[in-house]
């Protein structure tokens, strides 16, 4: 009679034991939960854009290149207040670089604006609709006369809306209104611009106007054509985006 090979029986027993071994191994396996953090989407910055148009209403007072500044607090000048050096540089010599450094964003006019002419300056700020707008320019045929818009709240404008105002002339109070030859930087004289020495009231005020050689001030390099009445500027602010 045939007898099963004992080795075969051993192999069969070993094979039958494999599933149990696999199950045992499976019972010892632990699942690991992997958490993948998905970064939150980064908001796309939104440009808020304005167009500022300035018109020179004077007879013969060119305006220095505009300083257009957006800021979130304060004023570029205050009536009765001490003028900053940045304002003094602009009001005495037409240098707008100091004022341009004071804001969140700023933009400069391209060139002087002649009598009767205008210029539009575009300025953009991101994600902010409640900034304050200031605009300043020197009347260059004066010692330290300037005009502009001081800290107007742009929260008043929606996209497509515009606002217009007219503005008078201020005296920076940093240089005596002597009108002497060599003291006025504009084409009426071609004299000195900024001078660090202050020799006037020391505070900003409304400008009293010029007294010219046609008014019997023989030492003045100005004539009647350099006189100005308020307003001197017209400004239109339009939110385009």
């Amino acid at each position: 009679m045939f007898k099963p090979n004992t080795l075969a029986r051993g192999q069969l027993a070993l094979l039958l034991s494999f599933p149990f071994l696999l199950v045992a191994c499976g019972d010892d396996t632990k699942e690991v939960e992997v958490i993948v953090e998905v970064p939150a989407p980064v908001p796309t910055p939104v440009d808020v854009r304005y167009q500022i148009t300035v018109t020179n209403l004077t007879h013969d007072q060119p305006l220095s290149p505009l300083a257009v500044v957006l800021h979130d607090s304060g004023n570029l000048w205050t009536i009765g207040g001490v003028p900053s050096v940045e304002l003094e540089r602009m009001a005495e010599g037409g240098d707008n670089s100091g004022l341009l450094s004071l804001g969140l964003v700023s933009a400069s006019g391209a060139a002087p604006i002649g009598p009767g002419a205008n210029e539009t300056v575009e300025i953009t700020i991101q994600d902010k609709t409640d900034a304050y707008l200031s605009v300043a320019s020197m009347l260059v045929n004066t010692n330290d006369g300037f005009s502009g818009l001081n800290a107007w709240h742009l929260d008043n404008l929606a996209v497509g809306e515009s606002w217009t105002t007219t503005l008078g002339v201020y005296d920076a109070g940093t240089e005596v209104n002597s009108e002497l030859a060599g003291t006025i930087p504009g084409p009426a004289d071609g004299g000195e611009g900024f001078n660090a020495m202050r020799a006037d009231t020391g505070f900003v005020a409304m400008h009293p106007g010029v007294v010219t050689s046609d008014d019997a001030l023989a030492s003045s390099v100005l004539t009647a054509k350099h006189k100005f009445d308020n307003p001197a500027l017209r400004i239109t602010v339009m939110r385009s985006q």
Side-chain angles (χ1 to χ4, degrees), residues 92-170:
E92 290 184 5
D95 178 3
N96 66 8
S97 60
L99 291 179
L100 293 174
S101 70
L102 299 180
L104 299 170
V105 294
S106 60
S108 176
I113 303 173
N118 64 74
E119 181 182 11
T120 297
V121 175
E122 188 171 83
I123 191 167
T124 302
I125 190 170
Q126 289 188 340
D127 297 328
K128 190 172 181 63
T129 60
D130 60 349
Y132 291 88
L133 168 67
S134 291
V135 181
S137 177
M138 178 191 183
L139 279 67
V140 297
N141 284 328
T142 66
N143 287 101
D144 60 344
F146 71 99
S147 186
L149 179 67
N150 192 15
W152 190 71
H153 201 190
L154 288 167
D155 193 36
N156 297 314
L157 284 185
V159 176
E161 290 186 339
S162 63
W163 172 78
T164 299
T165 190
T166 54
L167 300 160
V169 182
Y170 301 95

Side-chain angles (χ1 to χ4, degrees), residues 29 89 119 159 163 210 232-233:
T29 302
R89 286 183 178 276
E119 181 182 11
V159 176
W163 172 78
V210 294
L233 306 185

